[in-house]
Amino acid sequence: MADRIVRAISTDGMVQAAAICSRDLTERARQIHKTLPVATAALGRALAAASMMGNALKSDGASLTLQFKGGGPLGTVLAVSDNEGYVRGYVTNPHTDLPLRPDGKLDVGGAVGHEGTLTVIKDLHMKEPYVGTIDLLGGEIAEDVAGYFVESEQIPTACALGVLVDRDQSVKSAGGYLIQLMPGAGEDTIAKVEGGVMAAGPVSAILEQNDDPEALLRTVMSDFDLKILETCPVSYKCYCSRQRVERALISLGKSELEQMLAEQGGCQLTCQFCDAVYDFSADDLRALIAGL
Ligand code: ZN
């Protein structure tokens, strides 16, 4: 099934939830960045979370960034979503390779690192973006995202994210869910959410059986009557363009560009989010300089 997000609310109005199936966009990220399995899993989890969180921002042109800096061998894990849930991202060291954990799972926490921060940037196209930073809880991504909501937004949240990497290193399944209590939800609601999360088990196993995000939500929230609000297609999407790269070059200033022209002739820039390469010949650089 194509990647998509499903949003739902319990009919009693106490719980809102989103679930995502993100296999294709995670596989696309793997191909662009040539990530090894533990990096695929870390980036895939971050992309899934960013997509669900970005999709929740309804204002046009808004964006959401998740930045994990955990001090581990992966370096920074960055994921950016637009307000529809279309995402892009990267990790600093995509070829990080770590032994599996004793339980046979990929050691995402060890690769991200445990000592550091998660920063969430919501750019709603107002004057200043909203920036919230928390200390990482373990670098496994999902619990850190839940921790962010509890600490920074005071919203009790359950989050699960999973990426299953196949033997040939391609992405077999990916996705997750975000379940949040609405104001006024009581202990009984919390107990029902926690019970559902425990009973459902690991999210990547559920998605491997059935990659339908609505089915995932109905499994985890089987104790609730759910009203499905919307289903949104999502994918890996970069917004780079030759025009944007030109603007970045121009922002370097005239002397920097003249030096580049003198020393290298032209220049070649690769987008950090996708595999696009932008070539600027000596003539292109001269034209940019002339326009300054
Ligand atoms: Zn790009």
Short mmCIF file of all heavy atoms in Angstrom, two decimals, residues 42-101:
data_model
loop_
_atom_site.label_atom_id
_atom_site.label_comp_id
_atom_site.label_asym_id
_atom_site.label_seq_id
_atom_site.Cartn_x
_atom_site.Cartn_y
_atom_site.Cartn_z
N ALA A 42 16.94 4.46 12.35
CA ALA A 42 16.89 5.73 13.09
C ALA A 42 16.25 6.82 12.23
O ALA A 42 15.33 7.53 12.67
CB ALA A 42 18.30 6.16 13.51
N LEU A 43 16.71 6.94 10.99
CA LEU A 43 16.17 7.97 10.10
C LEU A 43 14.70 7.68 9.78
O LEU A 43 13.87 8.58 9.78
CB LEU A 43 17.01 8.05 8.82
CG LEU A 43 16.60 9.11 7.80
CD1 LEU A 43 16.59 10.50 8.42
CD2 LEU A 43 17.55 9.08 6.58
N GLY A 44 14.39 6.40 9.55
CA GLY A 44 13.01 6.02 9.23
C GLY A 44 12.05 6.35 10.37
O GLY A 44 10.94 6.83 10.13
N ARG A 45 12.48 6.10 11.60
CA ARG A 45 11.63 6.44 12.75
C ARG A 45 11.44 7.95 12.85
O ARG A 45 10.34 8.43 13.09
CB ARG A 45 12.26 5.92 14.04
CG ARG A 45 12.26 4.41 14.17
CD ARG A 45 12.87 4.00 15.49
NE ARG A 45 13.17 2.57 15.54
CZ ARG A 45 13.72 1.98 16.59
NH1 ARG A 45 14.04 2.68 17.66
NH2 ARG A 45 13.96 0.68 16.57
N ALA A 46 12.53 8.70 12.66
CA ALA A 46 12.44 10.16 12.76
C ALA A 46 11.55 10.72 11.65
O ALA A 46 10.74 11.63 11.89
CB ALA A 46 13.83 10.78 12.69
N LEU A 47 11.66 10.16 10.45
CA LEU A 47 10.83 10.64 9.33
C LEU A 47 9.35 10.35 9.60
O LEU A 47 8.49 11.21 9.33
CB LEU A 47 11.26 9.96 8.02
CG LEU A 47 12.60 10.42 7.43
CD1 LEU A 47 13.02 9.48 6.29
CD2 LEU A 47 12.52 11.85 6.90
N ALA A 48 9.06 9.18 10.15
CA ALA A 48 7.66 8.82 10.44
C ALA A 48 7.07 9.77 11.49
O ALA A 48 5.94 10.26 11.34
CB ALA A 48 7.58 7.38 10.93
N ALA A 49 7.85 10.06 12.53
CA ALA A 49 7.36 10.97 13.58
C ALA A 49 7.18 12.38 13.02
O ALA A 49 6.15 13.03 13.26
CB ALA A 49 8.34 10.99 14.76
N ALA A 50 8.17 12.86 12.27
CA ALA A 50 8.09 14.22 11.71
C ALA A 50 6.88 14.34 10.80
O ALA A 50 6.17 15.35 10.81
CB ALA A 50 9.38 14.56 10.96
N SER A 51 6.63 13.30 10.00
CA SER A 51 5.51 13.33 9.06
C SER A 51 4.18 13.46 9.81
O SER A 51 3.34 14.29 9.45
CB SER A 51 5.54 12.06 8.21
OG SER A 51 4.47 12.06 7.30
N MET A 52 4.00 12.66 10.86
CA MET A 52 2.74 12.74 11.63
C MET A 52 2.61 14.11 12.32
O MET A 52 1.52 14.68 12.38
CB MET A 52 2.68 11.62 12.67
CG MET A 52 2.41 10.26 12.07
SD MET A 52 2.09 8.99 13.34
CE MET A 52 3.75 8.66 13.95
N MET A 53 3.72 14.62 12.85
CA MET A 53 3.67 15.90 13.57
C MET A 53 3.48 17.06 12.60
O MET A 53 2.77 18.02 12.88
CB MET A 53 4.95 16.09 14.40
CG MET A 53 5.03 15.11 15.57
SD MET A 53 6.67 15.07 16.34
CE MET A 53 6.68 16.64 17.22
N GLY A 54 4.12 16.98 11.43
CA GLY A 54 3.97 18.04 10.43
C GLY A 54 2.55 18.05 9.88
O GLY A 54 1.94 19.11 9.72
N ASN A 55 2.02 16.88 9.63
CA ASN A 55 0.66 16.75 9.10
C ASN A 55 -0.39 17.36 10.04
O ASN A 55 -1.47 17.77 9.62
CB ASN A 55 0.35 15.26 8.85
CG ASN A 55 -1.05 15.00 8.37
OD1 ASN A 55 -1.95 14.77 9.16
ND2 ASN A 55 -1.26 15.07 7.07
N ALA A 56 -0.04 17.44 11.33
CA ALA A 56 -0.97 18.01 12.31
C ALA A 56 -0.96 19.54 12.29
O ALA A 56 -1.86 20.18 12.84
CB ALA A 56 -0.61 17.51 13.72
N LEU A 57 0.05 20.14 11.64
CA LEU A 57 0.09 21.61 11.51
C LEU A 57 -0.75 21.97 10.30
O LEU A 57 -0.41 21.61 9.19
CB LEU A 57 1.52 22.11 11.27
CG LEU A 57 2.62 21.69 12.23
CD1 LEU A 57 3.95 22.21 11.70
CD2 LEU A 57 2.35 22.21 13.62
N LYS A 58 -1.82 22.66 10.52
CA LYS A 58 -2.72 22.83 9.39
C LYS A 58 -2.44 24.08 8.55
O LYS A 58 -2.94 24.20 7.45
CB LYS A 58 -4.18 22.77 9.84
CG LYS A 58 -4.57 21.35 10.28
CD LYS A 58 -4.29 20.30 9.19
CE LYS A 58 -4.55 18.88 9.65
NZ LYS A 58 -3.96 17.87 8.73
N SER A 59 -1.62 25.02 9.07
CA SER A 59 -1.46 26.25 8.30
C SER A 59 -0.54 26.05 7.10
O SER A 59 0.51 25.40 7.18
CB SER A 59 -0.94 27.38 9.19
OG SER A 59 0.19 26.97 9.89
N ASP A 60 -0.93 26.61 5.96
CA ASP A 60 -0.16 26.48 4.72
C ASP A 60 1.25 27.01 4.88
O ASP A 60 1.45 28.06 5.47
CB ASP A 60 -0.86 27.26 3.60
CG ASP A 60 -1.94 26.42 2.94
OD1 ASP A 60 -1.96 25.20 3.18
OD2 ASP A 60 -2.76 27.00 2.20
N GLY A 61 2.21 26.27 4.34
CA GLY A 61 3.59 26.73 4.36
C GLY A 61 4.30 26.44 5.67
O GLY A 61 5.49 26.73 5.80
N ALA A 62 3.60 25.87 6.65
CA ALA A 62 4.24 25.54 7.93
C ALA A 62 5.16 24.35 7.75
O ALA A 62 4.99 23.55 6.83
CB ALA A 62 3.18 25.23 8.98
N SER A 63 6.16 24.24 8.62
CA SER A 63 7.04 23.07 8.58
C SER A 63 7.42 22.66 9.98
O SER A 63 7.34 23.46 10.92
CB SER A 63 8.29 23.36 7.75
OG SER A 63 9.10 24.30 8.41
N LEU A 64 7.83 21.42 10.11
CA LEU A 64 8.23 20.89 11.41
C LEU A 64 9.55 20.14 11.25
O LEU A 64 9.71 19.35 10.34
CB LEU A 64 7.16 19.94 11.94
CG LEU A 64 7.55 19.35 13.30
CD1 LEU A 64 6.42 19.49 14.30
CD2 LEU A 64 7.99 17.90 13.17
N THR A 65 10.49 20.44 12.16
CA THR A 65 11.80 19.80 12.11
C THR A 65 12.05 19.06 13.41
O THR A 65 11.81 19.60 14.49
CB THR A 65 12.90 20.87 11.93
OG1 THR A 65 12.62 21.60 10.73
CG2 THR A 65 14.28 20.24 11.82
N LEU A 66 12.54 17.83 13.29
CA LEU A 66 13.01 17.07 14.45
C LEU A 66 14.51 16.91 14.31
O LEU A 66 14.99 16.45 13.27
CB LEU A 66 12.39 15.68 14.50
CG LEU A 66 10.89 15.54 14.69
CD1 LEU A 66 10.51 14.06 14.71
CD2 LEU A 66 10.45 16.21 15.98
N GLN A 67 15.24 17.31 15.35
CA GLN A 67 16.70 17.20 15.30
C GLN A 67 17.17 16.45 16.54
O GLN A 67 17.05 16.94 17.66
CB GLN A 67 17.30 18.61 15.26
CG GLN A 67 18.80 18.63 15.08
CD GLN A 67 19.34 20.04 15.21
OE1 GLN A 67 19.17 20.70 16.23
NE2 GLN A 67 19.97 20.52 14.16
N PHE A 68 17.71 15.26 16.31
CA PHE A 68 18.25 14.45 17.40
C PHE A 68 19.76 14.59 17.42
O PHE A 68 20.42 14.28 16.43
CB PHE A 68 17.90 12.97 17.21
CG PHE A 68 16.42 12.69 17.25
CD1 PHE A 68 15.65 12.83 16.11
CD2 PHE A 68 15.81 12.30 18.42
CE1 PHE A 68 14.29 12.57 16.15
CE2 PHE A 68 14.44 12.03 18.47
CZ PHE A 68 13.69 12.18 17.33
N LYS A 69 20.28 15.07 18.52
CA LYS A 69 21.73 15.13 18.71
C LYS A 69 22.03 14.35 19.98
O LYS A 69 21.90 14.87 21.08
CB LYS A 69 22.20 16.58 18.88
CG LYS A 69 22.29 17.37 17.58
CD LYS A 69 22.74 18.79 17.90
CE LYS A 69 22.78 19.68 16.66
NZ LYS A 69 23.95 19.43 15.82
N GLY A 70 22.41 13.08 19.81
CA GLY A 70 22.55 12.22 20.99
C GLY A 70 23.98 11.88 21.35
O GLY A 70 24.23 11.14 22.29
N GLY A 71 24.93 12.39 20.55
CA GLY A 71 26.34 12.11 20.85
C GLY A 71 26.79 10.72 20.42
O GLY A 71 27.90 10.31 20.70
N GLY A 72 25.92 10.00 19.70
CA GLY A 72 26.29 8.65 19.23
C GLY A 72 26.96 8.69 17.86
O GLY A 72 27.11 9.75 17.27
N PRO A 73 27.36 7.51 17.35
CA PRO A 73 28.10 7.46 16.08
C PRO A 73 27.33 7.95 14.86
O PRO A 73 27.95 8.34 13.86
CB PRO A 73 28.47 5.97 15.93
CG PRO A 73 27.61 5.24 16.90
CD PRO A 73 27.28 6.19 17.99
N LEU A 74 25.99 7.97 14.91
CA LEU A 74 25.23 8.47 13.75
C LEU A 74 25.40 9.97 13.55
O LEU A 74 25.15 10.47 12.46
CB LEU A 74 23.73 8.20 13.93
CG LEU A 74 23.17 6.84 13.60
CD1 LEU A 74 21.67 6.85 13.85
CD2 LEU A 74 23.46 6.46 12.16
N GLY A 75 25.79 10.69 14.59
CA GLY A 75 25.81 12.14 14.50
C GLY A 75 24.40 12.67 14.64
O GLY A 75 23.59 12.12 15.39
N THR A 76 24.07 13.71 13.90
CA THR A 76 22.74 14.29 13.97
C THR A 76 21.77 13.51 13.09
O THR A 76 22.11 13.10 11.99
CB THR A 76 22.79 15.76 13.47
OG1 THR A 76 23.64 16.49 14.33
CG2 THR A 76 21.41 16.39 13.48
N VAL A 77 20.57 13.29 13.62
CA VAL A 77 19.48 12.73 12.81
C VAL A 77 18.47 13.86 12.64
O VAL A 77 17.97 14.40 13.62
CB VAL A 77 18.81 11.53 13.51
CG1 VAL A 77 17.67 10.98 12.65
CG2 VAL A 77 19.83 10.45 13.83
N LEU A 78 18.21 14.21 11.38
CA LEU A 78 17.34 15.35 11.11
C LEU A 78 16.19 14.93 10.20
O LEU A 78 16.42 14.26 9.19
CB LEU A 78 18.14 16.47 10.45
CG LEU A 78 17.37 17.77 10.28
CD1 LEU A 78 17.68 18.69 11.45
CD2 LEU A 78 17.74 18.47 8.99
N ALA A 79 14.98 15.32 10.54
CA ALA A 79 13.83 15.06 9.68
C ALA A 79 12.97 16.31 9.62
O ALA A 79 12.73 16.96 10.64
CB ALA A 79 13.01 13.89 10.22
N VAL A 80 12.54 16.67 8.42
CA VAL A 80 11.74 17.88 8.21
C VAL A 80 10.46 17.49 7.46
O VAL A 80 10.52 16.76 6.48
CB VAL A 80 12.51 18.92 7.37
CG1 VAL A 80 11.70 20.22 7.28
CG2 VAL A 80 13.88 19.17 7.94
N SER A 81 9.35 18.01 7.96
CA SER A 81 8.07 17.73 7.29
C SER A 81 7.40 19.04 6.91
O SER A 81 7.53 20.04 7.61
CB SER A 81 7.14 16.96 8.24
OG SER A 81 5.86 16.80 7.66
N ASP A 82 6.64 19.01 5.81
CA ASP A 82 5.79 20.17 5.52
C ASP A 82 4.45 19.97 6.24
O ASP A 82 4.29 19.00 6.99
CB ASP A 82 5.65 20.39 4.01
CG ASP A 82 4.84 19.30 3.31
OD1 ASP A 82 4.18 18.49 4.01
OD2 ASP A 82 4.86 19.25 2.07
N ASN A 83 3.49 20.87 6.02
CA ASN A 83 2.25 20.79 6.80
C ASN A 83 1.29 19.72 6.30
O ASN A 83 0.21 19.55 6.84
CB ASN A 83 1.55 22.16 6.81
CG ASN A 83 1.03 22.54 5.45
OD1 ASN A 83 1.77 22.46 4.46
ND2 ASN A 83 -0.22 22.92 5.36
N GLU A 84 1.71 18.98 5.25
CA GLU A 84 0.89 17.86 4.81
C GLU A 84 1.48 16.51 5.21
O GLU A 84 0.84 15.47 5.05
CB GLU A 84 0.72 17.91 3.29
CG GLU A 84 -0.11 19.09 2.83
CD GLU A 84 -0.19 19.13 1.31
OE1 GLU A 84 0.71 19.71 0.69
OE2 GLU A 84 -1.16 18.56 0.77
N GLY A 85 2.73 16.54 5.68
CA GLY A 85 3.38 15.30 6.07
C GLY A 85 4.41 14.80 5.07
O GLY A 85 4.95 13.70 5.23
N TYR A 86 4.67 15.59 4.02
CA TYR A 86 5.73 15.22 3.08
C TYR A 86 7.07 15.52 3.74
O TYR A 86 7.28 16.63 4.24
CB TYR A 86 5.58 16.00 1.76
CG TYR A 86 4.38 15.55 0.97
CD1 TYR A 86 3.15 16.18 1.14
CD2 TYR A 86 4.48 14.48 0.10
CE1 TYR A 86 2.03 15.74 0.43
CE2 TYR A 86 3.37 14.04 -0.62
CZ TYR A 86 2.15 14.67 -0.45
OH TYR A 86 1.04 14.23 -1.13
N VAL A 87 7.95 14.52 3.77
CA VAL A 87 9.17 14.62 4.58
C VAL A 87 10.46 14.47 3.80
O VAL A 87 10.50 13.90 2.71
CB VAL A 87 9.19 13.56 5.71
CG1 VAL A 87 8.37 14.00 6.89
CG2 VAL A 87 8.76 12.20 5.21
N ARG A 88 11.52 14.94 4.44
CA ARG A 88 12.88 14.73 3.96
C ARG A 88 13.78 14.68 5.18
O ARG A 88 13.38 15.12 6.26
CB ARG A 88 13.30 15.86 3.01
CG ARG A 88 13.21 17.25 3.64
CD ARG A 88 13.26 18.30 2.54
NE ARG A 88 13.41 19.66 3.05
CZ ARG A 88 12.41 20.44 3.45
NH1 ARG A 88 11.17 19.98 3.46
NH2 ARG A 88 12.64 21.67 3.87
N GLY A 89 14.99 14.17 5.03
CA GLY A 89 15.87 14.11 6.19
C GLY A 89 17.22 13.53 5.86
O GLY A 89 17.48 13.14 4.71
N TYR A 90 18.07 13.49 6.87
CA TYR A 90 19.39 12.86 6.71
C TYR A 90 19.97 12.52 8.08
O TYR A 90 19.48 12.99 9.11
CB TYR A 90 20.36 13.78 5.93
CG TYR A 90 20.67 15.10 6.60
CD1 TYR A 90 21.61 15.18 7.64
CD2 TYR A 90 20.05 16.28 6.20
CE1 TYR A 90 21.90 16.38 8.25
CE2 TYR A 90 20.33 17.49 6.81
CZ TYR A 90 21.27 17.53 7.83
OH TYR A 90 21.54 18.72 8.44
N VAL A 91 21.00 11.67 8.05
CA VAL A 91 21.82 11.45 9.25
C VAL A 91 23.24 11.83 8.86
O VAL A 91 23.63 11.69 7.70
CB VAL A 91 21.78 10.00 9.75
CG1 VAL A 91 20.37 9.58 10.10
CG2 VAL A 91 22.36 9.04 8.72
N THR A 92 24.02 12.31 9.84
CA THR A 92 25.38 12.74 9.52
C THR A 92 26.24 11.59 9.00
O THR A 92 26.95 11.74 8.02
CB THR A 92 26.06 13.34 10.78
OG1 THR A 92 25.15 14.25 11.39
CG2 THR A 92 27.34 14.07 10.40
N ASN A 93 26.15 10.43 9.67
CA ASN A 93 26.99 9.29 9.29
C ASN A 93 26.13 8.09 8.89
O ASN A 93 25.90 7.18 9.69
CB ASN A 93 27.92 8.91 10.44
CG ASN A 93 28.82 10.07 10.85
OD1 ASN A 93 29.48 10.68 10.01
ND2 ASN A 93 28.82 10.41 12.13
N PRO A 94 25.68 8.07 7.61
CA PRO A 94 24.74 7.02 7.19
C PRO A 94 25.34 5.62 7.16
O PRO A 94 24.61 4.64 7.14
CB PRO A 94 24.33 7.46 5.77
CG PRO A 94 25.42 8.38 5.31
CD PRO A 94 25.95 9.06 6.54
N HIS A 95 26.67 5.53 7.17
CA HIS A 95 27.29 4.19 7.09
C HIS A 95 27.64 3.61 8.46
O HIS A 95 28.41 2.67 8.55
CB HIS A 95 28.53 4.25 6.18
CG HIS A 95 28.20 4.70 4.80
ND1 HIS A 95 28.96 5.62 4.11
CD2 HIS A 95 27.15 4.41 4.00
CE1 HIS A 95 28.39 5.85 2.93
NE2 HIS A 95 27.30 5.13 2.85
N THR A 96 27.09 4.22 9.51
CA THR A 96 27.29 3.69 10.86
C THR A 96 26.80 2.25 10.93
O THR A 96 25.73 1.92 10.44
CB THR A 96 26.52 4.55 11.88
OG1 THR A 96 27.00 5.89 11.80
CG2 THR A 96 26.70 4.01 13.30
N ASP A 97 27.62 1.40 11.51
CA ASP A 97 27.28 -0.01 11.65
C ASP A 97 27.54 -0.41 13.10
O ASP A 97 28.62 -0.17 13.62
CB ASP A 97 28.18 -0.82 10.70
CG ASP A 97 27.59 -2.18 10.39
OD1 ASP A 97 26.45 -2.44 10.81
OD2 ASP A 97 28.30 -2.97 9.74
N LEU A 98 26.55 -0.97 13.75
CA LEU A 98 26.71 -1.40 15.14
C LEU A 98 26.24 -2.84 15.27
O LEU A 98 25.34 -3.26 14.54
CB LEU A 98 25.87 -0.53 16.09
CG LEU A 98 26.34 0.89 16.41
CD1 LEU A 98 25.39 1.50 17.43
CD2 LEU A 98 27.76 0.90 16.93
N PRO A 99 26.81 -3.60 16.21
CA PRO A 99 26.29 -4.95 16.44
C PRO A 99 24.84 -4.91 16.91
O PRO A 99 24.41 -3.91 17.52
CB PRO A 99 27.19 -5.51 17.55
CG PRO A 99 28.21 -4.49 17.84
CD PRO A 99 27.90 -3.24 17.11
N LEU A 100 24.08 -5.96 16.60
CA LEU A 100 22.70 -6.02 17.07
C LEU A 100 22.67 -6.07 18.60
O LEU A 100 23.64 -6.47 19.23
CB LEU A 100 22.01 -7.28 16.52
CG LEU A 100 21.82 -7.34 15.00
CD1 LEU A 100 21.19 -8.67 14.62
CD2 LEU A 100 20.95 -6.20 14.51
N ARG A 101 21.57 -5.64 19.17
CA ARG A 101 21.41 -5.74 20.62
C ARG A 101 21.26 -7.21 21.00
O ARG A 101 20.98 -8.05 20.15
CB ARG A 101 20.16 -4.97 21.06
CG ARG A 101 20.19 -3.49 20.69
CD ARG A 101 19.08 -2.73 21.40
NE ARG A 101 17.80 -3.45 21.43
CZ ARG A 101 16.63 -2.87 21.63
NH1 ARG A 101 16.57 -1.57 21.82
NH2 ARG A 101 15.52 -3.57 21.66
#
